[in-house]
């Protein structure tokens, strides 16, 4: 009888999750209406006719000035971000499969159009590359998200085969044969990554959503009936068109449906893995077909050259390093300018097609790494393989990394699109974590890793990166102090190289004690986070997969918590208990604290010893605050990855 009463009271509190979901649904509708009323000329990327008209008008626009292309490019990037946010933030019940595919196709078309416009701007610049006879043409144009470097070999002097773009600190050293050729070299650094498969970028992030009313009711029933009666149902995959590859090697259609691997459903880790196996069959990067005579050693070498994008992530954007034939230059005769018109840029083949013995010298490239991202170790240099649609490490050699100068030099046997990748799990498992309330509907989440300490402030329906400390120094100051949604915060942190958000496949690369009850724990922790602080316990690793152990303390003041303020609690989704052991005990024990008893929920376990002020805070806490706390706990998965 007490169990049923406790579950009923918990179910009442859980209605705050539904309130948050409804608020977000209303907010999305309000935002759409506000955009409609603004009449600012910008298209709604979710409306197909509007986005198609926008793209058609820009395709027809003949203005190829690089500055104007960059300005328009910022608008395009903003439209892409809106579509990506819709895919990540919209619950599956509010977005159809057709809309999902439409948004993905719009994203790819916008990305392709943007790259096309940079090529057109490059051609326009090179057609007007005439400089004084004593100089080669060189130019650097910087935008918010792009650094554009171009060099034209007008002198064709063998002594001028290398160049450093001073404003960008990127450089190259060409083979002698190219120094006398009619060529141009471009280093286009996009601070974003539109090269890696889009389906991989999206599926690596767990969907942040809450339970609907039917699921919450079932959740309570499961608590009563017991976990052994839960059933695992495989998720149906949508039937969508197969991929096509555009002429530039970019994918034109994507078989994608957002995989909410850590949705706020009652899923066990085993269920997640089963769904991962289903997705593996569809989402693995295709390898080139192996000749029948290829032996095991050659096959192993080939596989070693492929970059596993579940394990590594590009950091700092993408470097498009190209060589082009220099287009004909304008000739001035009297008042006339005569220019031979060619259709588009023509890539300069290097090594030449007749070179099959591999004796041509490599091209040396030097890149100055961005100060706006973090590389905790020597980055992995990889090239994009257009045919295989994957990153590869072969063709790259003699890598030199200068940590203090943030500079990397390497040689490549041809001109490639380059990315600098980092292990996605460098900061996992976490060394410690702590969540504590700081004021009404405010809290601070601290995650400590082997390389950094990350603090995230929570307030109402938003969160803010408070600080990232590396070797006692604050870094990434351009990201701190800005209020964002949890989805946006996760995106910018991962883009900056600070990944504390496990993906669907992370358990394959990080040794963890998988916790099958962690989602239920996050829900109940979020419900009481306005009055109670939570923290990492070393005994969580000693507990079984069905149990989570953490430190808890009532926290109503701004004073720092002391060691003696903490108590240990254990929760398995069905039962909560206070443990007798402390963090300094010699061995793990499930023995109950004296004068304590079991409860069906964490809320009622804490309620036994809570003050009236704490209970009042819990009952009056904003549903938006509770939802953000839950989203961050679900995204970081501190109970499994610590």
């Amino acid at each position: 009888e007490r169990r049923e009463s406790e579950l009923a009271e918990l179910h009442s509190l859980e209605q705050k999750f539904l309130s948050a979901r409804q608020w977000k649904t209303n907010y999305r509708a309000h935002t759409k209406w506000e955009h409609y009323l603004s009449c600012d000329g910008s298209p709604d990327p979710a409306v197909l006719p509007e986005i198609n008209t926008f793209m058609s008008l820009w395709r027809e626009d003949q203005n190829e000035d690089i500055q104007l292309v960059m300005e328009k490019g910022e608008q395009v990037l903003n439209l892409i971000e809106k579509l990506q946010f819709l895919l990540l933030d919209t619950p599956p019940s509010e977005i159809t499969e057709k809309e999902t595919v439409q948004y993905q196709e719009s994203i790819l078309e916008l990305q392709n159009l943007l790259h096309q416009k940079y090529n057109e701007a490059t051609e326009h610049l090179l057609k007007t590359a005439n400089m004084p006879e004593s100089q080669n043409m060189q130019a650097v144009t910087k935008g918010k998200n792009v650094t554009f470097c171009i060099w034209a070999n007008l002198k064709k002097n063998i002594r001028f085969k290398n160049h450093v773009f001073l404003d960008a600190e990127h450089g190259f050293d060409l083979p002698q044969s190219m120094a006398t050729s009619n060529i141009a070299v471009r280093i286009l650094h996009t601070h974003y990554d539109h090269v890696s498969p889009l389906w991989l970028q999206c599926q690596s992030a767990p969907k942040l959503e809450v339970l609907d009313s039917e699921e919450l009711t079932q959740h309570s029933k499961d608590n009563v009936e017991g976990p052994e009666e839960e059933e695992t149902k495989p998720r149906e995959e949508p039937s969508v068109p197969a991929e096509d590859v555009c002429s530039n090697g970019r994918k034109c259609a994507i078989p994608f449906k957002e995989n909410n691997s850590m949705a706020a459903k009652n899923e066990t880790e085993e269920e997640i893995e089963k769904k991962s196996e289903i997705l593996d069959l569809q989402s693995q990067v295709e390898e080139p077909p192996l000749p029948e005579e290829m032996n095991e050693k050659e096959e192993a070498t080939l596989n070693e050259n492929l970059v596993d994008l579940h394990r590594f992530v590009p950091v700092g954007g993408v470097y498009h390093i190209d060589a082009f034939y220099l287009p004909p230059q304008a000739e001035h005769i009297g008042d006339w300018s005569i220019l031979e018109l060619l259709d588009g840029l023509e890539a300069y083949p290097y090594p030449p097609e007749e070179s099959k013995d591999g004796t041509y010298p490599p091209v040396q490239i030097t890149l100055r790494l961005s100060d706006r991202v973090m590389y905790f170790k020597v980055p992995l240099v990889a090239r994009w393989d257009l045919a295989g649609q994957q990153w590869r490490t072969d063709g790259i050699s003699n890598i030199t990394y200068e940590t203090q100068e943030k500079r990397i030099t390497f040689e490549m046997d041809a001109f490639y699109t380059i990315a600098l990748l980092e292990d996605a799990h460098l900061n996992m498992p976490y060394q410690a974590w702590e969540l504590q309330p700081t004021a009404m509907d405010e809290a601070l989440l601290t995650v400590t890793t082997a390389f950094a300490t990350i603090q995230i402030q929570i307030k109402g329906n938003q969160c803010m990166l408070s600080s990232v400390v590396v070797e006692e120094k604050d870094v990434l100051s351009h990201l701190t102090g800005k209020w964002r949604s949890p989805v946006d915060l996760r995106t910018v942190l991962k883009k900056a190289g600070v990944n504390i958000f496990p993906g669907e496949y992370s358990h394959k690369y990080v040794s963890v004690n998988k916790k099958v009850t962690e989602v239920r724990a996050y829900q109940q922790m979020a419900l009481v986070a306005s009055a109670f602080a939570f923290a990492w316990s070393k005994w969580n690793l000693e507990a079984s997969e069905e149990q989570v152990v953490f430190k808890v303390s009532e926290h109503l003041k701004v004073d720092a918590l002391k060691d003696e303020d903490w108590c240990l609690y254990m929760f398995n989704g069905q039962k909560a208990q206070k443990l007798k052991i402390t963090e300094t005990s010699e061995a793990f024990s499930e023995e109950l604290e004296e004068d304590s008893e079991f409860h069906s929920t964490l809320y009622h376990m804490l309620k036994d010893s809570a003050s009236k002020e704490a209970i009042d805070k819990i009952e009056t806490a904003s549903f938006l605050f509770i939802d953000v706390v839950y989203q961050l706990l679900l995204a970081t998965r501190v109970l499994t990855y610590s």
Side-chain angles (χ1 to χ4, degrees), residues 290 293-303:
L290 302 177
E293 64 273 12
M294 180 174 285
N295 59 38
E296 292 182 2
K297 184 176 181 181
E298 290 173 325
E299 183 178 347
T301 301
L302 177 61
N303 291 335

Side-chain angles (χ1 to χ4, degrees), residues 453-466:
T453 299
I454 302 98
Q455 289 193 323
I456 300 171
Q457 190 175 340
I458 304 164
K459 184 176 182 179
N461 67 322
Q462 292 184 305
C463 54
M464 176 177 71
L465 182 64
S466 181

Side-chain angles (χ1 to χ4, degrees), residues 64-167:
E64 298 164 343
D65 178 77
I66 185 63
Q67 288 285 5
L68 292 178
V69 170
M70 282 191 174
E71 291 174 10
K72 192 77 169 183
E74 288 302 314
Q75 185 181 3
V76 171
L77 291 176
N78 182 257
L79 294 173
I80 291 172
E81 286 179 3
K82 287 182 178 179
L83 288 170
Q84 290 174 334
F85 182 81
L86 280 175
L87 289 169
L88 285 170
D89 189 59
T90 309
S93 60
E94 296 181 23
I95 186 171
T96 66
E97 181 183 319
K98 181 180 178 180
E99 288 173 329
T100 298
V101 174
Q102 173 194 314
Y103 296 167
Q104 290 296 327
E105 289 176 345
S106 295
I107 288 172
L108 282 173
E109 289 183 39
L110 286 166
Q111 291 173 345
N112 287 327
L113 177 59
L114 182 57
H115 196 71
Q116 173 192 327
K117 284 296 180 178
Y118 277 115
N119 284 341
E120 292 174 1
T122 301
E123 183 181 8
H124 175 72
L125 273 173
L126 293 178
K127 284 179 179 178
T128 57
N130 287 322
M131 301 285 284
E133 293 184 2
S134 61
Q135 298 179 22
N136 283 323
M137 177 261 191
Q138 70 89 23
V140 175
T141 306
K142 287 187 174 183
K144 180 181 177 182
N145 288 293
V146 174
T147 301
F148 181 94
C149 305
I150 190 76
W151 175 86
N153 189 22
L154 301 176
K155 294 184 66 176
K156 301 177 182 62
N157 188 323
I158 198 171
R159 292 184 302 162
F160 298 94
K161 65 186 184 72
N162 54 34
H163 181 75
V164 176
F165 297 97
L166 296 180
D167 291 342

Side-chain angles (χ1 to χ4, degrees), residues 595-613:
D595 300 325
S596 70
E597 55 184 352
F598 297 111
H599 282 278
S600 302
T601 73
L602 180 62
Y603 166 67
H604 291 91
M605 186 71 248
L606 297 176
K607 190 176 180 181
D608 272 358
S609 58
S611 66
K612 184 180 184 302
E613 184 182 356

Side-chain angles (χ1 to χ4, degrees), residues 3 31 184 255 324 357 412 428 480 499 510 518 563:
R3 178 178 176 81
T31 301
F324 303 108
D357 55 4
M412 52 188 194
M428 302 175 200
T480 59
N499 185 20
V510 184
E518 62 174 329
D563 290 341

